[in-house]
Amino acid sequence: MRCLPACECECVIKFEYNNCPGSCANLCLILSSKAEINESEIELHACLSPQLGFVILCCIWPLFGISLEGDFSPMWELLKSFNYNLSSLLSRLVNYTSITQGAKEHEEEESADASRQKTPKSPNMGTLMGVYLPCLQNIFGVILFLRLTWIVGMAGIIQSLLIVIMCCSCTMLTAISMSAIATNGVVPAGGAYFMISRSLGPEFGGAVGLCFYLGTTFASAMYILGAIEIFLVSYPLRSDSALLNNMRVYGSLCLSLMAVVVFVGVKYVNKLASLFLACVIISIVSIYAGAIKSITHPPDFPICMLGNRTLKLDGFDVCAKTVMSGNITELSQLWNRFCLPGNMSSTHCDDYFLHNNVTEIQGIPGLASGIISDNMWGNYLQKGEILEKAGLQSVDAHSAIEYFVQYVSVDITTSFTLLVGIFFPSATGIMAGSNRSGDLRDAQKSIPVGTILAITTTTIVYLSSVVLFGSCIEGVVLRDKFGDAVKKNLVVGTLSWPSPWVIVIGSFFSTIGAGLQSLTGAPRLLQAIAKDNIIPFLRVFGHGKSNGEPTWALLLTGLIAELGILIASLDMVAPILSMFFLMCYLFVNLACAVQTLLRTPNWRPRFKYYHWALSFLGMSMCLALMFISSWYYAIVAMGIAGMIYKYIEYQGAEKEWGDGIRGLSLSAARYALLRLEAGPPHTKNWRPQLLVLLKLDEDLHVKYPRMLTFASQLKAGKGLTIVGSVIQGNFLDSFGEMQAAEQAIKNMMEIERVKGFCQVVVAAKVREGIVHLIQSCGLGGMKHNTVVMGWPYGWRQSEDPRVWKTFINTVRCTTAAHLALMVPKNVSFYPSNHERFTDGNIDVWWIVHDGGMLMLLPFLLKQHKVWRKCKMRIFTVAQMDDNSIQMKKDLATFLYQLRIEAEVEVVEMHDSDISAYTYERTLMMEQRSQMLRQMRLSSAEKQREAQLVKDRHSLVRMGSLYSDEEEEVDVPLDKVQMTWTREKCEAERKNRSNAPENFRELMSLKPDQSNVRRMHTAVKLNEVIVNKSHDARLVLLNMPGPPRNADGNENYMEFLEVLTEGLERVLLVRGGGREVITIYS
């Protein structure tokens, strides 16, 4: 035999079988012998590599004189099978890694060899190496070695078993839900974050992803604190007075060193993964070996007791008050700790020390000692209490405070809930398999099997460890957190075999390894969240080195971990990360339950052993454990997740991932709509559900954006708002224009902060489109009950009567549909959302009862910050025969019962003669109406005649609303104005061609007396309104209904103009025929 260097190492088998695979190593074993086998020649140049088993057997055979001659086929088959299985196992163990696939990709990018390999490697990890062992390594950790014995001592075996079962049941149910999600598709880097975000949406995903990131980061701090505690307990660097500062200093140094290792390259973490795994397994095996050995040969760890109090075995070697040196009795070192040194007088000693005996008991009685009965029940202690053993005789004597440092005492107040929070981190780590699904040969099989087997294994280990610890170790030693009573050994180390140093070394390296894994995984999780771009301020953490290494994320992770290290207490950090992990597991269960109940078509997991009830049970257990562990930490964790959720909802990027929340929203909306179909809402629940009719200009821009501003101020984000518009034309030709109009309206809605829906229709005539919107907008019971439309500005100057005909037709349609109507006039003068009225009034002129709309609208407006400081005034009109005082009193009582604060005023309108101004306005109105009814007048004649009767008080032309371009002016010849006589109508028909003569005849007409009375009422009411409300911020008026006869349409428009003349902001309101406000609760 001889060894060859790696460069000369090769494996060549000249046989009927294929060449053996494998790579070469530095050490090579060459079997320099040949054997004739069925006239074939085997020449072996084997390397110490995956073919190790084959080489060993080939080398051993000649030493024992085993001949290779003869029929070699059976032995060759056995050799080949053994060689393959052993080499495969060794190869996987050598290549084992516990880091996630994202980190592994970064490692390969750093490697120069990997950069030269163009063909990607296919996933080849199985259940054992890819899921089971990584989960074991992540689950087993610092709590098992440092706190489980203490938990058993404080809680007792029964309650400790309950704690383990609660925590492991929670993680088992979560693993079932996670297996269903993970087998429903490929889970890339990001693990839990990816599963939750793609199942519950970016808001939940980002919130829980950051919670999981914080939990992983604090886990690294917990592991580092555990490693430092092991170091300080095992070496005499720890002093009680400076313990916290030592933890902070050494912890910060360890964190810095580990961060540098992770920054330099994850390949170094990968190379140590097998060592860390071996440390965990060897440590656990040594505990079981020690427990079995204690049946016959328990380890010798004597405990020194003073009375029933446990003494720190530090600073004295003999557990006695005096020692014999030859024939001379001398004072022991223990005496000098409780008395003045060198003084045998009892007057200078502690009373408790003098009245109690010093005894020695066995710290590890062994498995057959029956100590289990003493450790069965809990013994919770307060901070500062001395550890005492029940059953030992003790004289209750006074003890000075300065001597309390000689006893083993409790450092924190213990309770069942505290122990749950401390133990739960030892059950986490179940995501290790799902995080590396891309590296698995069959992820949809390996993840469920490996994860559930790992949880089952760790649960069995924890349950058996609880029983073994309670059966082998004395109770006062179990409650001794830092091992002061056993010469500062780790308590779990006293039970291990062959030496306590096995646990010290193994637990130290395993905690360091777990800390490195957390520092490796947390930055990549943050990088995955940042790259999804759902949280804008985290974008910087999506960048890193050229190979994708998350440098900035690692820096932030180190800073957060440093905060955990500065806490300097493993018992305080553990509940913090318990909250974050429980929050993550809660939403994993919620995601599975939601997807299962919604039965979305894409929910087809290969793992079939799940049920929504199990997911809800797991979710409930997570929530219960959060509040059991620490209710205030739970509230803080939920508050952090809630703030992140709201931030992503309002500021984050919109993502459509087909998440379950969208499906849940659809199901909830369907359920709510079906419930609303049961009947109309009660008066107490009535609120204006708006249909806002907008006009667009030629460029498809919203002509009056303040209509949307008014809608947002009235609604304040509550109820239904539908913004509609009509495009005239053919649907097939105008589809693109319709989409552009919808987008323009949605942009304006976003600017004006209107939360609602947009609907644009294409119709041959605008009037028909508006009617279609009024009829068809909404769905089921979620339909509009109020229409908001603008005033047709400049209708007097328009040559086209369709300007005001469209307006009046809309009024009639809303009345027929029993919808309320609001017409904001002079809407351009309405305030924007950025303005604030610091004073002023909202005046309501309550002329007729309209169901309470005029009372309700000012109240709703005052909920918005623009109108909040305005006062409300209500005016009502009384005639001469009305009792004004009683009317005012009744109205004030009515408002009080409505819980509306407003100032009430009754205005008396006296009967007076019709003024010449009123007569003139009526005459001009009727003359204009008659002129525009002339058949087939030329455009020039019509414009000239309209100019003759132009009202000097009209507004400047601002454009028409919903002008129907294609509608023909069709006035039947037999339709005449009411103020005409039949004789004049016949004369008009005979002399239609003589326009100037007809015009002179029109000017000689006298106005209809009914129109004069209406005009008189409008003028007088307008005078009163202007007198009282000229400085009001907003005036609300009852809107009169349109005339039943279409011949009076233009007169109706004139009455509305006269009624609102001289007012800056007017809101005309018409009720929908039902009560909208009530005095009852």
Side-chain angles (χ1 to χ4, degrees):
M1 290 186 184
R2 61 189 181 88
C3 288
L4 294 179
C7 58
E8 299 180 26
C9 188
E10 61 180 353
C11 288
V12 180
I13 299 181
K14 295 179 181 179
F15 196 60
E16 59 183 357
Y17 300 98
N18 294 330
N19 292 343
C20 61
S23 59
C24 299
N26 291 328
L27 182 63
C28 303
L29 296 177
I30 304 294
L31 182 62
S32 56
S33 64
K34 298 183 180 179
E36 296 291 333
I37 306 175
N38 294 333
E39 299 180 354
S40 298
E41 181 182 12
I42 301 178
E43 182 178 353
L44 298 177
H45 295 274
C47 305
L48 187 60
S49 60
Q51 283 72 31
L52 181 62
F54 180 83
V55 174
I56 291 175
L57 290 179
C58 288
C59 294
I60 289 177
W61 284 348
L63 297 179
F64 288 91
I66 299 176
S67 174
L68 301 181
E69 298 179 358
D71 189 3
F72 191 61
S73 298
M75 191 170 294
W76 173 258
E77 293 295 336
L78 176 65
L79 173 62
K80 180 183 177 184
S81 175
F82 180 82
N83 168 43
Y84 175 77
N85 293 333
L86 181 60
S87 63
S88 176
L89 176 63
L90 291 174
S91 174
R92 285 183 288 172
L93 285 174
V94 169
N95 297 323
Y96 168 74
T97 174
S98 60
I99 58 178
T100 59
Q101 64 200 62
K104 192 173 181 181
E105 291 167 1
H106 295 323
E107 175 196 348
E108 291 178 353
E109 288 182 7
E110 287 183 341
S111 174
D113 295 337
S115 63
R116 289 193 295 267
Q117 296 175 357
K118 300 300 181 183
T119 57
K121 295 181 179 179
S122 60
N124 57 359
M125 280 194 172
T127 303
L128 177 68
M129 295 297 171
V131 181
Y132 181 73
L133 290 181
C135 284
L136 279 186
Q137 186 174 355
N138 279 269
I139 295 174
F140 286 132
V142 64
I143 302 297
L144 171 63
F145 302 117
L146 293 185
R147 290 294 181 269
L148 188 56
T149 55
W150 176 71
I151 291 174
V152 174
M154 289 296 179
I157 295 176
I158 300 297
Q159 294 187 39
S160 298
L161 291 175
L162 179 61
I163 292 174
V164 173
I165 292 172
M166 287 172 56
C167 296
C168 293
S169 298
C170 176
T171 55
M172 177 63 78
L173 293 172
T174 304
I176 293 173
S177 300
M178 182 199 69
S179 299
I181 298 175
T183 57
N184 193 50
V186 178
V187 180
Y193 160 71
F194 183 89
M195 287 190 292
I196 295 173
S197 61
R198 269 57 176 182
S199 298
L200 294 181
E203 293 86 2
F204 280 106
V208 181
L210 282 183
C211 285
F212 191 54
Y213 163 74
L214 291 174
T216 308
T217 303
F218 274 101
S220 65
M222 184 190 73
Y223 290 129
I224 293 173
L225 287 174
I228 299 304
E229 183 176 313
I230 295 171
F231 176 74
L232 293 178
V233 167
S234 303
Y235 291 93
L237 296 174
R238 171 183 162 267
S239 60
D240 293 335
S241 59
L243 174 61
L244 295 181
N245 289 332
N246 286 339
M247 296 281 284
R248 294 185 180 105
V249 172
Y250 290 110
S252 300
L253 292 176
C254 185
L255 174 63
S256 302
L257 181 61
M258 292 167 64
V260 169
V261 172
V262 174
F263 176 76
V264 170
V266 293
K267 60 183 177 182
Y268 299 105
V269 182
N270 186 23
K271 292 181 184 299
L272 297 174
S274 301
L275 172 64
F276 298 146
L277 176 62
C279 290
V280 172
I281 296 175
I282 292 173
S283 300
I284 294 174
V285 170
S286 70
I287 295 174
Y288 284 98
I292 296 173
K293 182 177 178 294
S294 69
I295 299 175
T296 57
H297 298 86
D300 183 24
F301 282 96
I303 308 300
C304 190
M305 308 293 295
L306 179 59
N308 63 352
R309 296 180 179 179
T310 309
L311 291 173
K312 292 181 180 178
L313 199 60
D314 182 22
F316 62 93
D317 50 0
V318 179
C319 183
K321 294 183 179 180
T322 59
V323 295
M324 295 298 295
S325 177
N327 295 326
I328 302 174
T329 301
E330 297 181 353
L331 300 177
S332 66
Q333 295 176 342
L334 182 60
W335 179 282
N336 293 331
R337 287 187 169 272
F338 286 92
C339 304
L340 290 178
N343 192 336
M344 297 192 66
S345 173
S346 61
T347 57
H348 298 87
C349 292
D350 180 57
D351 288 343
Y352 188 87
F353 179 74
L354 291 176
H355 291 88
N356 288 277
N357 295 324
V358 177
T359 57
E360 240 182 20
I361 63 173
Q362 190 57 248
I364 314 294
L367 196 60
S369 63
I371 196 69
I372 186 174
S373 59
D374 297 336
N375 296 329
M376 192 65 68
W377 308 106
N379 187 15
Y380 297 107
L381 301 174
Q382 299 293 318
K383 181 179 180 180
E385 283 192 53
I386 298 172
L387 298 183
E388 298 178 350
K389 176 175 173 56
L392 287 182
Q393 292 184 355
S394 175
V395 177
D396 190 10
H398 174 73
S399 182
I401 296 178
E402 60 266 20
Y403 296 116
F404 271 70
V405 296
Q406 308 300 331
Y407 303 106
V408 180
S409 59
V410 181
D411 62 332
I412 60 172
T413 300
T414 55
S415 64
F416 179 81
T417 58
L418 174 72
L419 299 184
V420 171
I422 292 175
F423 177 78
F424 186 79
S426 64
T428 61
I430 62 175
M431 300 288 183
S434 62
N435 290 349
R436 51 198 298 130
S437 62
D439 297 331
L440 300 174
R441 187 185 307 113
D442 186 0
Q444 297 183 352
K445 175 184 176 183
S446 297
I447 290 177
V449 174
T451 305
I452 293 175
L453 281 179
I455 295 175
T456 304
T457 303
T458 54
T459 303
I460 293 173
V461 170
Y462 286 141
L463 292 175
S464 59
S465 297
V466 168
V467 176
L468 289 178
F469 292 156
S471 303
C472 299
I473 305 176
E474 175 63 48
V476 291
V477 180
L478 288 173
R479 290 185 284 276
D480 183 7
K481 183 186 295 184
F482 299 110
D484 291 321
V486 287
K487 298 181 181 179
K488 295 184 179 178
N489 283 294
L490 292 178
V491 175
V492 67
T494 60
L495 183 62
S496 65
W497 180 85
S499 168
W501 285 100
V502 175
I503 292 294
V504 171
I505 297 174
S507 61
F508 180 79
F509 281 107
S510 67
T511 51
I512 290 293
L516 283 172
Q517 291 173 33
S518 299
L519 283 178
T520 304
R524 283 157 181 81
L525 177 59
L526 181 62
Q527 187 182 41
I529 298 173
K531 284 186 175 180
D532 271 344
N533 199 24
I534 60 173
I535 304 178
F537 69 84
L538 290 181
R539 289 173 187 163
V540 64
F541 299 108
H543 308 292
K545 293 194 293 187
S546 58
N547 63 345
E549 192 78 12
T551 307
W552 293 108
L554 176 61
L555 178 62
L556 179 64
T557 303
L559 293 177
I560 297 175
E562 178 64 22
L563 295 178
I565 288 175
L566 292 178
I567 297 175
S569 173
L570 183 66
D571 303 318
M572 295 181 67
V573 174
I576 296 177
L577 64 99
S578 293
M579 292 303 112
F580 291 125
F581 278 120
L582 281 168
M583 181 81 68
C584 175
Y585 295 165
L586 185 150
F587 281 100
V588 169
N589 286 292
L590 176 62
C592 181
V594 168
Q595 297 276 30
T596 305
L597 289 176
L598 292 179
R599 298 180 181 179
T600 53
N602 192 52
W603 180 246
R604 302 184 301 274
R606 289 189 179 275
F607 180 75
K608 302 299 182 183
Y609 305 101
Y610 69 94
H611 194 269
W612 65 265
L614 293 177
S615 299
F616 269 113
L617 179 60
M619 184 176 65
S620 302
M621 289 191 66
C622 290
L623 189 62
L625 285 175
M626 287 178 67
F627 283 93
I628 288 174
S629 302
S630 176
W631 63 268
Y632 45 89
Y633 278 165
I635 292 175
V636 171
M638 295 173 72
I640 292 174
M643 289 188 292
I644 297 172
Y645 177 92
K646 297 304 292 184
Y647 177 82
I648 297 175
E649 185 180 20
Y650 288 109
Q651 299 293 334
E654 296 182 0
K655 299 287 184 180
E656 177 53 58
W657 287 330
D659 52 86
I661 292 298
R662 177 62 61 87
L664 184 63
S665 300
L666 291 174
S667 297
R670 172 183 170 273
Y671 175 78
L673 287 172
L674 291 175
R675 288 288 301 273
L676 289 175
E677 278 290 303
H682 192 272
T683 303
K684 292 185 291 185
N685 297 326
W686 194 94
R687 66 167 62 246
Q689 315 287 8
L690 302 183
L691 170 61
V692 183
L693 300 177
L694 289 183
K695 179 176 177 59
L696 304 178
D697 59 17
E698 293 79 4
D699 298 326
L700 299 180
H701 295 151
V702 178
K703 197 163 187 178
Y704 302 111
R706 290 297 168 87
M707 293 278 289
L708 293 175
T709 308
F710 171 71
S712 68
Q713 293 170 4
L714 181 65
K715 300 293 292 180
K718 304 295 189 300
L720 174 69
T721 302
I722 303 174
V723 181
S725 186
V726 179
I727 294 179
Q728 185 175 343
N730 181 271
F731 177 76
L732 296 178
D733 300 331
S734 305
F735 180 73
E737 189 178 354
M738 182 191 73
Q739 288 185 316
E742 281 188 356
Q743 190 59 46
I745 293 176
K746 287 180 180 178
N747 293 338
M748 186 56 65
M749 290 173 66
E750 185 176 352
I751 294 173
E752 298 296 337
R753 298 181 180 178
V754 176
K755 296 182 179 180
F757 309 97
C758 171
Q759 185 167 354
V760 178
V761 298
V762 179
K765 297 179 181 180
V766 175
R767 182 187 303 179
E768 294 176 359
I770 293 176
V771 174
H772 173 72
L773 286 173
I774 292 175
Q775 292 183 81
S776 62
C777 279
L779 180 63
M782 199 66 175
K783 295 180 69 70
H784 58 278
N785 55 29
T786 305
V787 177
V788 181
M789 67 174 177
W791 180 260
Y793 303 106
W795 65 273
R796 286 194 182 111
Q797 296 81 22
S798 175
E799 300 174 2
D800 194 345
R802 292 169 294 185
V803 174
W804 47 267
K805 280 187 177 182
T806 302
F807 175 82
I808 297 178
N809 185 70
T810 306
V811 176
R812 284 198 172 97
C813 289
T814 56
T815 303
H818 301 289
L819 302 176
L821 176 66
M822 289 188 288
V823 181
K825 192 178 179 187
N826 301 334
V827 72
S828 298
F829 299 121
Y830 276 53
S832 67
N833 286 324
H834 304 291
E835 297 181 42
R836 302 286 188 280
F837 286 146
T838 57
D839 56 3
N841 301 310
I842 299 177
D843 288 353
V844 177
W845 285 86
W846 193 28
I847 310 301
V848 295
H849 182 62
D850 57 353
M853 279 284 291
L854 285 173
M855 305 291 186
L856 184 61
L857 293 177
F859 171 78
L860 296 176
L861 280 175
K862 280 170 61 65
Q863 306 305 308
H864 197 273
K865 56 189 176 183
V866 173
W867 306 91
R868 186 166 295 144
K869 294 187 178 181
C870 293
K871 295 181 180 180
M872 183 175 168
R873 297 191 302 182
I874 296 182
F875 297 90
T876 187
V877 178
Q879 301 297 328
M880 289 298 297
D881 54 350
D882 293 330
N883 188 341
S884 302
I885 298 176
Q886 187 62 36
M887 285 182 63
K888 183 174 181 179
K889 187 181 298 184
D890 293 342
L891 184 55
T893 303
F894 180 58
L895 290 176
Y896 176 79
Q897 292 173 338
L898 290 175
R899 290 92 62 200
I900 293 178
E901 296 181 3
E903 179 183 342
V904 178
E905 188 171 343
V906 177
V907 179
E908 296 181 351
M909 289 187 63
H910 302 282
D911 291 335
S912 60
D913 296 333
I914 298 176
S915 64
Y917 172 73
T918 302
Y919 189 86
E920 180 185 357
R921 289 294 298 265
T922 309
L923 179 62
M924 294 174 64
M925 174 186 70
E926 294 192 356
Q927 287 175 347
R928 184 176 185 276
S929 297
Q930 295 294 343
M931 278 193 305
L932 296 182
R933 286 179 179 274
Q934 299 295 328
M935 295 294 295
R936 304 188 185 281
L937 288 177
S938 66
S939 299
E941 289 176 332
K942 190 180 296 184
Q943 182 177 5
R944 183 171 62 253
E945 292 180 9
Q947 186 66 28
L948 290 175
V949 294
K950 181 179 178 182
D951 190 304
R952 62 180 181 274
H953 301 289
S954 62
L955 294 174
V956 179
R957 180 175 181 179
M958 299 177 64
S960 61
L961 178 66
Y962 297 113
S963 175
D964 202 338
E965 303 292 343
E966 296 180 358
E967 183 180 2
E968 295 293 336
V969 181
D970 185 13
V971 181
L973 295 179
D974 58 347
K975 292 288 183 78
V976 296
Q977 181 72 339
M978 291 178 64
T979 55
W980 288 19
T981 63
R982 184 171 299 275
E983 293 78 8
K984 290 180 179 179
C985 179
E986 294 296 333
E988 174 61 24
R989 290 180 178 178
K990 294 177 182 178
N991 302 302
R992 199 176 297 275
S993 60
N994 193 349
E997 182 179 348
N998 290 333
F999 180 73
R1000 286 192 298 270
E1001 186 177 354
L1002 273 173
M1003 295 302 292
S1004 65
L1005 286 176
K1006 293 183 178 181
D1008 188 288
Q1009 291 301 313
S1010 62
N1011 287 337
V1012 172
R1013 286 194 301 270
R1014 292 192 187 97
M1015 183 63 73
H1016 173 68
T1017 302
V1019 170
K1020 296 298 293 183
L1021 186 57
N1022 177 257
E1023 290 176 357
V1024 174
I1025 295 174
V1026 171
N1027 182 39
K1028 295 287 186 179
S1029 303
H1030 64 277
D1031 58 347
R1033 299 296 187 183
L1034 180 65
V1035 177
L1036 283 82
L1037 282 173
N1038 286 114
M1039 183 177 183
R1044 295 181 180 179
N1045 190 348
D1047 295 334
N1049 286 348
E1050 193 171 5
N1051 298 342
Y1052 173 71
M1053 294 296 299
E1054 190 68 33
F1055 290 144
L1056 293 180
E1057 283 283 10
V1058 172
L1059 186 62
T1060 58
E1061 203 168 43
L1063 299 174
E1064 183 180 13
R1065 302 185 189 94
V1066 183
L1067 180 63
L1068 297 173
V1069 181
R1070 182 167 176 80
R1074 60 162 296 169
E1075 294 291 332
V1076 300
I1077 195 168
T1078 178
I1079 63 175
Y1080 300 104
S1081 60

